[in-house]
Amino acid sequence: MGLEERRRRKGQIQAEAIPEIVAEAMINDEDNGYSVLSFSLEDIVYSVVEEGMMRNCTCQDFGWNAIACKHMYLLARVQESIQVFEDKLITYLYIHCLTYLS
């Protein structure tokens, strides 16, 4: 298992460790995606962009690694109709195109 896969699996395990009732309370439906509360900091909320598949999260882990983070896995667990998009190259290009166009 490579480093990228270990990071993904770590995020999955962290998301799975949150009790269902707490997980549901950590997620809010927004106009253009979802917001997910931080796992460790009380006043921090991350935006998870969703277009049928999650492609972006505003957390530092996603920003540094451009791979699915624990916030994405938590959202996918609660909202089963949404899939985590795990193609790193396409995710990287998607993020940078949005940044360039903004």
Side-chain angles (χ1 to χ4, degrees), residues 23-76:
E24 290 174 3
M26 290 176 68
I27 295 171
N28 291 309
D29 193 353
E30 304 288 335
D31 290 336
N32 58 347
Y34 291 86
S35 62
V36 179
L37 293 175
S38 170
F39 282 42
S40 56
L41 302 171
E42 288 184 29
D43 297 334
I44 304 295
V45 177
Y46 300 110
S47 296
V48 179
V49 176
E50 176 263 322
E51 296 172 354
M53 288 189 174
M54 287 174 275
R55 298 179 186 271
N56 189 27
C57 181
T58 57
C59 74
Q60 290 180 341
D61 183 43
F62 186 82
W64 289 331
N65 299 304
I67 59 172
C69 64
K70 59 189 174 188
H71 310 102
M72 292 176 154
Y73 287 114
L74 185 70
L75 179 56

Side-chain angles (χ1 to χ4, degrees), residues 1-13 67:
M1 180 183 300
L3 180 60
E4 187 175 312
E5 185 58 33
R6 282 196 302 272
R7 285 186 176 148
R8 278 195 187 120
R9 187 64 190 129
K10 181 181 176 186
Q12 289 173 327
I13 290 168
I67 59 172

